[in-house]
Amino acid sequence: MENDDRIPVNENSKDDYRLYVKNKQLRKFVKRFDRTESRERITDLHREFDEELFQTEILDKRTFGSLKYNYCGRHMTDIKFGNIFDTYELLLADIIEVQLSDEQEDIFRGFMSKSSEEYYFATEKEIKTCGVEYGTSNLSDKIANHTVKILSGKSDELIMKNKHKDEVEIVF
Protein backbone atom coordinates (compact mmCIF):
# COMPACT_ATOMS: atom_id res chain seq x y z
CA MET A 1 0.00 0.00 0.00
CA GLU A 2 1.14 3.52 -0.74
CA ASN A 3 -0.14 6.86 0.51
CA ASP A 4 -2.38 8.81 -1.85
CA ASP A 5 -0.81 12.18 -2.65
CA ARG A 6 -3.85 13.53 -4.53
CA ILE A 7 -5.74 14.82 -1.46
CA PRO A 8 -3.65 16.44 1.29
CA VAL A 9 -4.01 14.89 4.73
CA ASN A 10 -5.09 17.27 7.48
CA GLU A 11 -6.35 16.93 11.06
CA ASN A 12 -9.84 15.96 9.88
CA SER A 13 -8.76 13.41 7.26
CA LYS A 14 -5.79 11.81 9.02
CA ASP A 15 -7.73 8.59 9.75
CA ASP A 16 -9.43 8.39 6.34
CA TYR A 17 -8.46 5.65 3.93
CA ARG A 18 -7.08 7.26 0.78
CA LEU A 19 -4.29 5.12 -0.54
CA TYR A 20 -3.13 2.98 -3.39
CA VAL A 21 -3.61 -0.75 -3.04
CA LYS A 22 -2.23 -3.21 -5.54
CA ASN A 23 -4.94 -5.24 -7.24
CA LYS A 24 -3.74 -8.54 -5.76
CA GLN A 25 -4.11 -7.08 -2.23
CA LEU A 26 -7.53 -5.47 -2.72
CA ARG A 27 -9.64 -8.30 -1.28
CA LYS A 28 -7.39 -8.46 1.80
CA PHE A 29 -7.63 -4.68 2.20
CA VAL A 30 -11.45 -4.64 2.15
CA LYS A 31 -11.48 -7.28 4.92
CA ARG A 32 -9.03 -5.18 6.93
CA PHE A 33 -11.16 -2.08 6.34
CA ASP A 34 -14.00 -3.73 8.24
CA ARG A 35 -11.78 -4.61 11.21
CA THR A 36 -9.81 -1.36 11.62
CA GLU A 37 -10.63 0.31 14.94
CA SER A 38 -9.18 3.78 14.22
CA ARG A 39 -11.61 4.59 11.41
CA GLU A 40 -15.25 5.51 11.75
CA ARG A 41 -17.38 2.60 12.82
CA ILE A 42 -21.07 2.14 12.12
CA THR A 43 -21.56 1.83 15.86
CA ASP A 44 -20.05 5.29 16.46
CA LEU A 45 -20.25 8.00 13.81
CA HIS A 46 -19.48 10.63 16.44
CA ARG A 47 -16.45 12.07 14.60
CA GLU A 48 -18.31 12.64 11.35
CA PHE A 49 -21.15 14.56 12.98
CA ASP A 50 -18.79 16.46 15.25
CA GLU A 51 -16.59 17.64 12.37
CA GLU A 52 -19.34 18.39 9.87
CA LEU A 53 -22.07 19.85 12.07
CA PHE A 54 -20.82 20.85 15.52
CA GLN A 55 -17.30 22.19 14.87
CA THR A 56 -18.66 24.21 11.96
CA GLU A 57 -21.31 25.58 14.34
CA ILE A 58 -24.13 24.62 12.00
CA LEU A 59 -25.64 22.78 14.97
CA ASP A 60 -25.25 23.32 18.70
CA LYS A 61 -24.17 20.07 20.34
CA ARG A 62 -26.02 20.88 23.60
CA THR A 63 -29.40 21.56 21.97
CA PHE A 64 -29.19 18.82 19.34
CA GLY A 65 -29.12 15.96 21.84
CA SER A 66 -28.39 12.39 20.91
CA LEU A 67 -28.38 10.91 17.42
CA LYS A 68 -30.16 7.71 16.42
CA TYR A 69 -29.66 5.90 13.13
CA ASN A 70 -30.06 2.56 11.40
CA TYR A 71 -27.60 0.83 9.09
CA CYS A 72 -29.01 0.41 5.57
CA GLY A 73 -26.12 -1.43 3.89
CA ARG A 74 -22.93 -0.89 1.96
CA HIS A 75 -22.50 0.70 -1.43
CA MET A 76 -19.44 -0.57 -3.28
CA THR A 77 -18.57 0.32 -6.86
CA ASP A 78 -16.90 -1.90 -9.37
CA ILE A 79 -13.25 -1.13 -9.89
CA LYS A 80 -13.19 1.46 -12.64
CA PHE A 81 -10.97 4.19 -13.98
CA GLY A 82 -11.64 7.59 -12.44
CA ASN A 83 -10.80 10.58 -14.60
CA ILE A 84 -10.51 13.08 -11.75
CA PHE A 85 -7.64 11.33 -9.96
CA ASP A 86 -6.34 9.53 -13.06
CA THR A 87 -6.31 6.08 -11.48
CA TYR A 88 -8.45 3.00 -10.96
CA GLU A 89 -10.67 3.28 -7.91
CA LEU A 90 -12.96 1.29 -5.68
CA LEU A 91 -15.42 3.48 -3.78
CA LEU A 92 -16.95 2.02 -0.65
CA ALA A 93 -19.51 3.66 1.64
CA ASP A 94 -21.69 2.42 4.48
CA ILE A 95 -25.15 4.00 4.25
CA ILE A 96 -27.20 4.94 7.31
CA GLU A 97 -30.67 6.37 7.84
CA VAL A 98 -30.86 9.01 10.56
CA GLN A 99 -33.84 8.80 12.92
CA LEU A 100 -34.54 12.40 13.97
CA SER A 101 -36.70 13.30 16.94
CA ASP A 102 -39.54 15.78 16.37
CA GLU A 103 -37.37 18.54 17.88
CA GLN A 104 -34.42 17.66 15.62
CA GLU A 105 -36.69 17.63 12.57
CA ASP A 106 -37.88 21.13 13.53
CA ILE A 107 -34.24 22.30 13.69
CA PHE A 108 -33.59 21.03 10.16
CA ARG A 109 -36.87 22.44 8.83
CA GLY A 110 -35.68 25.82 10.10
CA PHE A 111 -32.46 25.41 8.08
CA MET A 112 -34.42 24.62 4.93
CA SER A 113 -35.84 28.15 4.80
CA LYS A 114 -32.34 29.70 4.90
CA SER A 115 -29.69 29.93 2.23
CA SER A 116 -26.18 28.86 3.22
CA GLU A 117 -22.79 28.14 1.68
CA GLU A 118 -22.24 25.40 4.31
CA TYR A 119 -25.19 23.12 3.54
CA TYR A 120 -27.83 22.48 0.92
CA PHE A 121 -31.10 20.55 1.03
CA ALA A 122 -31.44 18.82 -2.32
CA THR A 123 -34.42 17.11 -3.88
CA GLU A 124 -34.16 13.60 -5.29
CA LYS A 125 -34.20 15.06 -8.81
CA GLU A 126 -31.36 17.46 -7.98
CA ILE A 127 -29.31 14.58 -6.56
CA LYS A 128 -29.91 12.45 -9.66
CA THR A 129 -28.81 15.31 -11.95
CA CYS A 130 -25.87 16.33 -9.71
CA GLY A 131 -27.51 19.73 -9.32
CA VAL A 132 -27.43 20.58 -13.01
CA GLU A 133 -30.50 22.70 -13.77
CA TYR A 134 -32.19 21.49 -16.94
CA GLY A 135 -33.47 24.16 -19.30
CA THR A 136 -31.05 26.80 -18.01
CA SER A 137 -27.53 27.89 -18.79
CA ASN A 138 -26.47 26.84 -15.27
CA LEU A 139 -24.82 23.53 -16.07
CA SER A 140 -22.42 23.32 -13.12
CA ASP A 141 -22.62 20.10 -11.16
CA LYS A 142 -22.83 21.20 -7.52
CA ILE A 143 -23.71 17.78 -6.07
CA ALA A 144 -21.15 14.97 -6.14
CA ASN A 145 -21.95 12.21 -8.62
CA HIS A 146 -21.69 9.53 -5.92
CA THR A 147 -24.46 11.13 -3.81
CA VAL A 148 -27.16 9.06 -5.58
CA LYS A 149 -26.19 6.06 -3.46
CA ILE A 150 -28.02 7.59 -0.47
CA LEU A 151 -31.42 7.65 -2.20
CA SER A 152 -33.89 5.06 -0.93
CA GLY A 153 -34.51 3.97 -4.52
CA LYS A 154 -30.93 2.71 -4.61
CA SER A 155 -31.36 0.45 -1.56
CA ASP A 156 -31.60 -2.68 -3.74
CA GLU A 157 -27.99 -2.08 -4.78
CA LEU A 158 -26.68 -2.15 -1.20
CA ILE A 159 -24.84 -5.20 0.12
CA MET A 160 -24.39 -6.44 3.70
CA LYS A 161 -27.82 -5.10 4.67
CA ASN A 162 -28.03 -7.31 7.76
CA LYS A 163 -24.57 -6.50 9.13
CA HIS A 164 -25.91 -4.18 11.85
CA LYS A 165 -29.54 -4.76 12.77
CA ASP A 166 -29.88 -2.72 15.94
CA GLU A 167 -30.58 1.01 16.01
CA VAL A 168 -27.51 2.97 17.15
CA GLU A 169 -27.67 5.92 19.52
CA ILE A 170 -24.80 8.34 20.07
CA VAL A 171 -24.90 10.80 22.94
CA PHE A 172 -22.83 13.91 22.23
Side-chain angles (χ1 to χ4, degrees), residues 155-172:
S155 63
D156 288 345
E157 298 173 22
L158 299 178
I159 60 174
M160 299 171 45
K161 294 179 186 180
N162 294 321
K163 183 176 179 182
H164 300 281
K165 294 181 182 178
D166 298 330
E167 181 178 79
V168 177
E169 181 174 6
I170 301 172
V171 179
F172 294 103

Side-chain angles (χ1 to χ4, degrees), residues 55-70:
Q55 289 180 21
T56 59
E57 298 181 356
I58 293 172
L59 288 174
D60 178 18
K61 190 183 291 193
R62 293 177 309 256
T63 58
F64 187 75
S66 63
L67 174 72
K68 294 180 182 181
Y69 57 90
N70 293 312

Side-chain angles (χ1 to χ4, degrees), residues 1-4 17-30 32 79 87-90:
M1 287 185 258
E2 301 172 31
N3 287 332
D4 178 0
Y17 276 126
R18 290 187 184 121
L19 41 88
Y20 293 108
V21 178
K22 293 184 189 241
N23 189 29
K24 67 182 181 180
Q25 296 172 322
L26 192 56
R27 200 178 293 268
K28 186 176 176 181
F29 171 78
V30 171
R32 179 181 148 192
I79 299 170
T87 189
Y88 285 91
E89 31 184 51
L90 169 72

Side-chain angles (χ1 to χ4, degrees), residues 35-128:
R35 292 189 313 262
T36 301
E37 293 298 324
S38 62
R39 72 171 191 86
E40 292 144 340
R41 313 277 302 155
I42 288 300
T43 55
D44 186 3
L45 296 177
H46 181 270
R47 181 182 81 127
E48 194 70 29
F49 277 82
D50 193 49
E51 288 173 7
E52 302 292 333
L53 297 170
F54 300 136
Q55 289 180 21
T56 59
E57 298 181 356
I58 293 172
L59 288 174
D60 178 18
K61 190 183 291 193
R62 293 177 309 256
T63 58
F64 187 75
S66 63
L67 174 72
K68 294 180 182 181
Y69 57 90
N70 293 312
Y71 180 74
C72 298
R74 175 168 289 169
H75 181 273
M76 189 170 355
T77 65
D78 293 331
I79 299 170
K80 56 187 172 189
F81 191 79
N83 292 326
I84 295 172
F85 292 112
D86 195 31
T87 189
Y88 285 91
E89 31 184 51
L90 169 72
L91 304 177
L92 188 149
D94 288 317
I95 308 299
I96 64 161
E97 180 179 22
V98 175
Q99 305 295 322
L100 298 175
S101 69
D102 291 342
E103 294 81 12
Q104 290 168 330
E105 278 191 38
D106 288 342
I107 291 170
F108 281 103
R109 280 195 184 93
F111 290 145
M112 292 174 75
S113 62
K114 303 173 189 169
S115 179
S116 175
E117 293 292 319
E118 295 178 300
Y119 57 84
Y120 181 75
F121 288 88
T123 65
E124 181 176 352
K125 181 181 176 187
E126 288 172 314
I127 291 171
K128 287 180 176 178

